[in-house]
């Protein structure tokens, strides 16, 4: 007898959650897109379940329908733009699609909770974090002010926030990214919900903070028996926390299974492609470039921020201190470290987006650290930077052509020659030449990053800086952009300064590694040497925190290639 149930549905008679009490059961869910969209439905015939005390990860690329699924469960779809047209979402026996907005609002926070990807935009900037957690209790409980504060302090302590009493009156901008994410988790868990949805909650965090947040989610889930629906594109995260995995592609579920089944024996070609795109933590051997000319060098580079004000005590922050680096032509030097380690400060000093406080910066033989703006201008084209967020890097009101040709024309290139060059660079980065007439919003995230690379190359630089240039991209797109960066490095004999917190990415693209901690360089060497035998405790802690460290994703890649 053939099983005709949709992908993700449980076979007749089987327990979809492996013996767990089912908290959430989604069956045949379809959500319609507005007219004129690139496809009829955002998600179609989606089926899966989440059990009490179970973590189910939904994985897939941007546009696969992961977040639409989560927002539909929470009843947070934008009105008149996306609408459920088929299926059911049964939560603890009730179909959420049949609930009124008032009923859903009452359930959210109390029985259903969500952690969003970017806590800085999800938290209210003008409310203290204590009040924001307490607001949930104020809405859903009859506790008095003193009882609410005690409950808030308890949950802040439970999510391992330092000095909860002092932090009660802090505002979001006064906390680190990891602390803000813990506040979001505290708000989501303060009422012991039956279901927690986490939508890419660790994407922007460095590896050590990410490891702490993942451990915290897993501890809370085990302690409270909460069902967790965890949305991610990071298979390292899946390896660390998932009980079961749902793989989505273009709005449909293409494969489901236990974490071990999906990670070790994926059956669908799309799943194999995704896992095969995960960079390995084992760096390949790369030929030394110690005889190549030096393109970039810093000596004793430092950046200090400080100042006080009326009735404010002066505070000195040494964002970077005594940084010495050398990057040769054709070489990629990676700078890795946690948020606040000084990586991006060094990059911005080199590009002179900020002025260094101490030290020297040499582009070949020219020292640029102290040059005034008029004298610096002729050196600007020699060093270019690609930022993390390509959408914010491109002017939404300008066509791609205008964005690419602006730099060369500022340095005397004619419009016709600059346009011809822009079209050639679009081909070089894997895009159609005629696409230069389109606007940034008409491209995907990966395509926009390719455009930013083309814009940087239009200046014919000696040094290219990539500042977290692939951290927000899906693994498959990330692999393509990394390959492109390596190709243009070879083609143009570029010196590349590659800033990242992703050790897997650093392992695959960097010739040498420099590890930064609290503004200082604590270790450096060839990538192979540092990964094989890290000398410093801090470096070892970074490697130990890398998600999915124990999984051989490369094995799946090799089997897929062989098959």
């Amino acid at each position: 007898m053939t099983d005709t149930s949709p992908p993700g549905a449980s076979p007749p008679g089987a327990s979809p959650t492996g013996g767990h009490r089912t908290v959430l059961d989604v069956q045949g869910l379809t959500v319609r897109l507005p007219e004129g969209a690139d496809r009829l439905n955002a998600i179609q015939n989606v089926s899966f379940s989440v059990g009490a005390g179970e973590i189910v990860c939904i994985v897939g690329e941007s546009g696969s329908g992961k977040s639409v699924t989560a927002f539909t469960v929470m009843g947070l779809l934008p009105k008149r733009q996306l609408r459920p047209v088929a299926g059911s979402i049964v939560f603890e026996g009730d179909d959420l699609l049949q609930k009124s907005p008032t009923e859903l609002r009452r359930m959210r926070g109390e029985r259903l909770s969500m952690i969003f990807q970017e806590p800085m935009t999800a938290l209210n900037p003008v409310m203290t974090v204590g009040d924001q957690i307490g607001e949930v209790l104020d809405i859903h409980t009859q506790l008095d002010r003193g009882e609410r504060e005690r409950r808030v302090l308890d949950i802040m302590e439970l999510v391992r926030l330092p000095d909860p009493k002092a932090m009660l009156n802090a505002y979001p901008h006064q906390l680190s990214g990891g602390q803000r994410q813990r506040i979001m988790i505290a708000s989501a868990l303060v009422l012991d919900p039956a279901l927690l949805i986490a939508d890419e909650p660790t994407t922007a965090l460095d590896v050590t903070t990410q490891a702490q947040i993942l451990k915290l989610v897993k501890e809370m889930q085990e302690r409270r028996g909460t069902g967790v629906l965890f949305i991610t594109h990071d298979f390292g995260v899946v390896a660390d926390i998932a009980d079961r995995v749902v793989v989505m592609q273009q709005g449909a579920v293409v494969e489901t299974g236990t974490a071990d089944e999906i990670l070790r024996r994926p059956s669908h070609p799309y799943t194999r492609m995704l896992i095969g795109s995960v960079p390995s933590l084992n760096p390949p051997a790369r030929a030394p470039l110690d005889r190549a000319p030096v393109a970039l060098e810093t000596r004793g580079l430092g950046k200090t921020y400080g100042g006080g004000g009326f009735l404010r005590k002066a505070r000195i922050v040494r964002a970077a201190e005594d940084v010495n680096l050398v990057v040769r032509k054709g070489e990629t030097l990676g700078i890795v470290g946690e948020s606040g380690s000084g990586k991006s400060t060094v990059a911005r000093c080199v590009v002179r987006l900020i002025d260094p406080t101490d030290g020297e910066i040499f582009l070949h033989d020219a020292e640029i650290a102290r040059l005034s703006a008029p004298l610096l201008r002729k050196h600007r084209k020699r060093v270019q930077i690609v930022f993390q967020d390509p959408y914010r890097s491109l002017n939404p009101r300008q066509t791609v052509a205008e964005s690419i040709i602006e730099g060369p024309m500022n340095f005397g290139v004619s419009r016709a020659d600059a346009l011809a060059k822009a079209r050639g660079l679009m081909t070089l980065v894997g895009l159609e030449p005629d696409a230069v007439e389109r606007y940034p919003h008409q491209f995907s995230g990966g395509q926009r990053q390719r455009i930013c690379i083309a814009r940087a190359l239009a200046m014919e630089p000696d040094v290219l800086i990539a500042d977290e240039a692939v951290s927000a991209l899906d693994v498959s797109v990330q692999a393509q952009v990394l390959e492109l960066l390596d190709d243009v490095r070879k083609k143009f004999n570029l010196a590349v300064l590659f800033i990242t917190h992703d050790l897997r990415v650093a392992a695959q693209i960097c010739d040498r590694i420099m590890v930064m901690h609290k503004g200082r360089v604590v270790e450096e060497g060839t990538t192979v040497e540092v990964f094989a035998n890290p000398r410093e405790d801090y470096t070892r802690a970074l490697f130990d925190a890398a998600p999915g460290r124990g999984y051989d994703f490369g094995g799946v890649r090799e089997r897929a290639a062989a098959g």
Side-chain angles (χ1 to χ4, degrees):
M1 178 177 173
T2 304
D3 180 12
T4 57
S5 57
S10 306
S15 171
T17 59
H20 297 271
R21 173 179 63 84
T22 300
V23 171
L24 177 71
D25 188 25
V26 176
Q27 293 296 324
L29 182 62
T30 299
V31 174
R32 184 66 44 85
L33 283 167
E35 288 187 19
D38 60 348
R39 61 178 189 249
L40 180 63
N41 297 315
I43 57 173
Q44 183 164 338
N45 199 26
V46 169
S47 300
F48 63 89
S49 59
V50 182
E54 181 184 42
I55 298 180
V56 176
C57 283
I58 300 184
V59 297
E61 297 172 290
S62 297
S64 63
K66 308 186 301 294
S67 292
V68 170
T69 301
F71 276 68
T72 307
V73 172
M74 290 294 294
L76 295 174
L77 289 179
K79 293 177 181 178
R80 296 184 295 275
Q81 294 183 32
L82 297 171
R83 57 189 178 89
V85 294
S88 63
I89 305 172
V90 178
F91 170 68
E92 294 191 316
D94 291 324
D95 188 348
L96 298 181
L97 293 180
Q98 306 305 316
K99 296 290 183 183
S100 68
T102 302
E103 289 173 312
L104 283 173
R105 192 158 46 245
R106 191 178 301 121
M107 296 173 76
R108 284 195 295 264
E110 184 175 0
R111 304 301 295 149
L112 288 161
S113 285
M114 188 164 183
I115 306 169
F116 297 93
Q117 179 172 351
E118 180 43 68
M120 196 58 181
T121 56
L123 294 171
N124 188 329
V126 298
M127 283 179 69
T128 65
V129 295
D131 284 345
Q132 294 192 56
I133 301 172
E135 186 178 36
V136 180
L137 297 171
D138 189 32
I139 293 170
H140 293 286
T141 73
Q142 302 298 315
L143 298 176
D144 62 36
R145 185 176 181 84
E147 290 172 320
R148 288 199 302 270
E149 184 170 309
R150 283 193 293 275
R151 183 77 71 87
V152 170
L153 287 171
D154 286 344
I155 194 69
M156 288 176 75
E157 203 166 288
L158 205 58
V159 299
R160 312 278 176 83
L161 282 163
D163 198 357
K165 281 189 178 180
M167 198 170 283
L168 269 179
N169 298 314
Y171 290 89
H173 73 273
Q174 296 174 303
L175 308 182
S176 70
Q179 288 172 337
R180 288 194 291 265
Q181 199 60 280
R182 288 166 193 263
I183 294 294
M184 286 287 297
I185 294 171
S187 298
L189 293 176
V190 70
L191 287 176
D192 290 341
L195 178 69
L196 175 66
I197 299 177
D199 187 7
E200 300 272 15
T202 62
T203 298
L205 302 178
D206 53 63
V207 286
T208 49
T209 306
Q210 181 185 64
Q212 293 165 4
I213 296 296
L214 293 177
K215 183 181 179 184
L216 176 62
V217 169
K218 197 161 181 65
E219 284 176 353
M220 302 291 277
Q221 164 258 329
E222 290 171 349
R223 182 184 298 119
R224 294 165 178 252
T226 303
V228 178
L229 186 63
F230 199 103
I231 295 166
T232 184
H233 64 251
D234 189 332
F235 274 90
V237 170
V238 173
D240 281 353
I241 69 168
D243 295 306
R244 290 187 301 117
V245 182
V246 177
V247 184
M248 294 187 69
Q249 180 187 23
Q250 295 184 338
V253 175
V254 297
E255 186 169 2
T256 63
T258 67
D260 197 61
E261 289 168 348
I262 297 295
L263 292 172
R264 298 190 188 279
R265 297 177 297 281
S267 60
H268 196 278
Y270 178 72
T271 312
R272 291 198 295 268
M273 182 277 293
L274 287 179
I275 297 176
S277 299
V278 178
S280 169
L281 272 169
N282 298 316
R286 297 170 79 104
L289 293 164
D290 48 8
R291 295 181 180 276
V294 173
L296 170 67
E297 182 178 4
T298 70
R299 299 174 189 169
L301 181 66
K303 177 62 180 178
T304 302
Y305 295 96
F310 184 64
L311 297 180
R312 285 178 57 195
K313 185 178 179 180
R315 180 168 176 255
I316 303 298
V317 177
R318 291 182 173 83
E321 191 173 1
D322 196 26
V323 176
N324 300 292
L325 63 82
V326 172
V327 193
R328 298 177 181 275
K329 291 184 71 67
E331 179 184 47
T332 300
L333 171 66
I335 304 182
V336 301
E338 299 171 290
S339 297
S341 63
K343 309 185 301 294
S344 293
T345 298
V346 170
R348 282 160 171 72
C349 283
V350 168
V351 149
R352 284 295 306 274
L353 293 177
I354 58 176
D355 295 329
T357 311
D358 305 293
E360 300 170 300
I361 303 168
F362 291 91
L363 288 176
H364 293 295
D365 295 327
E367 204 286 309
I368 66 167
R370 297 286 174 268
L371 290 183
S372 61
L375 295 175
L376 182 62
R377 186 180 184 277
K378 69 177 182 179
H379 297 288
R380 285 284 187 195
K381 64 181 296 185
R382 303 175 67 185
V383 54
Q384 294 291 302
I385 188 166
V386 180
F387 293 101
Q388 177 175 351
D389 186 346
Y391 199 73
R392 291 173 63 187
S393 300
L394 296 168
N395 188 333
R397 297 173 184 269
Q398 282 189 335
T399 64
V400 166
E402 294 300 325
S403 290
I404 295 176
I405 69 175
E406 182 179 18
M409 287 179 62
N410 284 340
F411 280 87
V413 178
S414 70
R415 184 178 182 86
D417 288 346
L419 273 172
K421 188 171 190 176
R423 290 176 180 275
L425 286 168
M426 289 290 278
T427 302
L428 177 72
V429 299
L431 297 173
E432 290 295 324
D434 292 341
V436 292
E437 301 305 327
R438 291 157 59 186
Y439 288 86
H441 73 272
Q442 296 174 290
F443 296 87
S444 69
Q447 289 172 329
R448 287 195 290 265
Q449 199 60 292
R450 289 169 182 267
I451 291 166
C452 288
I453 294 170
R455 183 178 63 175
L457 294 176
M459 300 300 293
E460 299 181 358
D462 299 316
V463 178
L464 180 66
I465 299 176
D467 189 4
E468 298 281 10
V470 298
S471 64
L473 303 178
D474 299 315
V475 286
S476 55
V477 179
Q478 182 185 80
Q480 295 165 11
V481 174
L482 287 175
E483 185 177 356
L484 172 61
L485 283 170
D486 217 30
D487 285 346
V488 299
R489 174 188 63 81
K490 295 172 185 173
K491 184 178 180 64
F492 296 100
N493 199 29
L494 289 173
V496 178
L497 189 62
F498 194 90
I499 315 292
T500 184
H501 66 253
D502 190 328
L503 295 172
R504 293 181 181 277
V505 168
Q508 295 307 305
I509 199 168
C510 299
D511 297 287
R512 292 186 297 113
I513 289 286
M514 176 181 287
V515 183
M516 290 193 68
H517 180 49
K518 294 182 178 179
R520 285 186 165 273
V521 177
V522 296
E523 185 163 357
E524 60 181 308
T526 68
T527 307
V528 172
E529 290 169 348
V530 173
F531 273 71
N533 186 31
R535 301 186 308 274
E536 298 296 320
D537 290 342
Y538 176 73
T539 310
R540 288 193 288 270
L542 284 181
F543 290 163
D544 289 342
R549 184 167 176 79
Y551 262 88
D552 177 24
F553 296 106
V556 172
R557 183 163 50 247
E558 289 159 10
R559 289 195 296 275

